[in-house]
Amino acid sequence: MELWYTEKQTDNVGITCKVNRTLHTETSPFQRIDVLETKQFGRMLLLDGLVMTTEKDEFVYHEMIAQVPLNTHPDPQRVLVIGGGDGGSLREVTRHPKVRQATLCEIDARVIEVCQEYFPAIANALRGNPKAEILVADGIAHIQERPHYYDVILIDSTDPIGAAEGLFTLDFYRQVYKSLKEDGIMAAQTESPFYDLNLVRKIYKNIEQVFPVTKLYLASIPTYPSGLWSFTLGSKRYDPEQVKEADIPDMPMQYYTAQIHKAAFNLPKFIDDALKTL
Ligand code: SPD
């Protein structure tokens, strides 16, 4: 018998993948955690039934959420990842040559443990990396304990339902601002412009109220709703579109390049128009 898994992405659309087997299922104190072995995308992590990452396309999301802000900042020594318990963003941060301290603040210890077991290539920085500090804690509380501390903060959250809702609010971005140094930068995953344009716009407007430089950028992620995914960067000083190609370190990448860094900020008209409306 064939096994298929469907994530219902809207009331009318889903993504369906053929599954070899279920490798892991549990309910942690925070959420349901599943690991599936799919035919198309390799291993797939689901949190509360929603696709968080897969072996085949994780590189797009993790390179783009991390390398764009890291290469916008001239000296990103101290970096925080809020969420991101699979370790993919942390892997990207720790391999950046200028980063000295990479802190991961994940609320659910079981996500970290499950990913260490089933996604070793994504989770490799979660154990024994000399640059990494792993905290199992609430990211909102953590940033209040470290004012004026980080050069870059990445918000690698789940979708804004349930536990992650607080990571998309105006008040949260104000706290992020306070935890950044005077020239700090934040970047957050900010959902699907095709399916949730109003939400994307609302998040952008929240970030824009706090950061003098606010820019949305895009990447193509096959397993996320609509395949077109947005990130929003908030910066106290540096403009991501003014980065010089020569300043981008030469590192092995699968998606991110100096050209992609620039191109990702060129928005389709319907998105640009939406962000310009009040
Ligand atoms: N709809 C999926 C959004 C998930 C964003 N976070 C994924 C975490 C990967 N590190």
Side-chain angles (χ1 to χ4, degrees):
M1 197 187 66
E2 286 185 354
L3 277 178
W4 294 80
Y5 177 74
T6 297
E7 175 191 325
K8 205 174 137 208
Q9 297 180 328
T10 74
D11 287 345
N12 308 302
V13 183
I15 181 175
T16 301
C17 303
K18 200 187 255 188
V19 171
N20 288 330
R21 60 197 172 123
T22 299
L23 297 170
H24 184 86
T25 301
E26 71 173 77
T27 302
S28 77
F30 296 93
Q31 57 211 330
R32 179 170 168 164
I33 305 172
D34 293 288
V35 181
L36 307 181
E37 186 183 277
T38 69
K39 287 202 184 288
Q40 189 71 42
F41 295 108
R43 292 183 179 183
M44 174 182 271
L45 173 70
L46 307 171
L47 295 181
D48 285 337
L50 304 177
V51 179
M52 289 297 125
T53 201
T54 82
E55 286 180 317
K56 287 287 161 64
D57 69 351
E58 60 85 13
F59 65 90
V60 184
Y61 178 92
H62 292 126
E63 288 179 16
M64 289 300 280
I65 196 171
Q67 302 303 339
V68 172
L70 291 176
N71 290 328
T72 298
H73 197 294
D75 197 18
Q77 296 197 16
R78 274 192 197 147
V79 181
L80 169 67
V81 179
I82 296 178
D86 54 67
S89 297
L90 188 74
R91 177 196 67 203
E92 290 303 310
V93 172
T94 52
R95 74 194 185 98
H96 193 284
K98 289 189 173 158
V99 172
R100 294 199 177 166
Q101 180 191 329
T103 301
L104 178 98
C105 190
E106 162 65 52
I107 201 163
D108 190 344
R110 286 302 297 149
V111 173
I112 295 177
E113 288 154 8
V114 167
C115 291
Q116 283 175 326
E117 182 170 354
Y118 292 101
F119 297 91
I122 300 176
N124 58 24
L126 289 169
R127 195 179 279 138
N129 187 304
K131 290 183 181 179
E133 175 189 35
I134 312 296
L135 306 175
V136 175
D138 177 354
I140 301 176
H142 172 74
I143 51 176
Q144 290 171 36
E145 288 160 13
R146 289 190 179 170
H148 210 67
Y149 187 85
Y150 290 108
D151 297 299
V152 174
I153 296 179
L154 309 181
I155 303 147
D156 182 5
S157 67
T158 53
D159 301 297
I161 26 176
E165 228 170 328
L167 302 178
F168 293 84
T169 62
L170 178 58
D171 188 53
F172 172 67
Y173 298 127
R174 288 196 173 119
Q175 301 296 338
V176 169
Y177 186 95
K178 285 185 193 156
S179 186
L180 287 166
K181 290 193 209 152
E182 68 286 349
D183 60 350
I185 296 176
M186 61 146 274
Q189 75 84 4
T190 51
E191 303 291 309
S192 162
F194 267 113
Y195 294 163
D196 284 307
L197 190 56
N198 276 336
L199 173 65
V200 170
R201 192 180 145 278
K202 194 175 152 208
I203 301 166
Y204 179 89
K205 295 285 169 192
N206 281 347
I207 297 173
E208 196 184 37
Q209 280 189 60
V210 178
F211 287 88
V213 182
T214 299
K215 301 223 166 159
L216 186 133
Y217 61 100
L218 299 170
S220 176
I221 305 178
T223 56
Y224 282 4
S226 83
L228 181 70
W229 206 249
S230 76
F231 301 86
T232 305
L233 182 146
S235 171
K236 293 190 180 184
R237 187 181 299 172
Y238 309 112
D239 182 338
E241 293 189 272
Q242 298 305 319
V243 168
K244 294 192 186 71
E245 208 173 311
D247 292 338
I248 295 184
D250 185 20
M251 295 162 60
M253 295 286 168
Q254 294 183 78
Y255 187 91
Y256 177 84
T257 63
Q259 290 73 30
I260 289 277
H261 182 113
K262 288 267 160 78
F265 290 92
N266 288 312
L267 303 179
K269 191 162 185 312
F270 76 99
I271 302 176
D272 203 36
D273 286 348
L275 299 184
K276 280 181 185 144
T277 58
L278 291 174

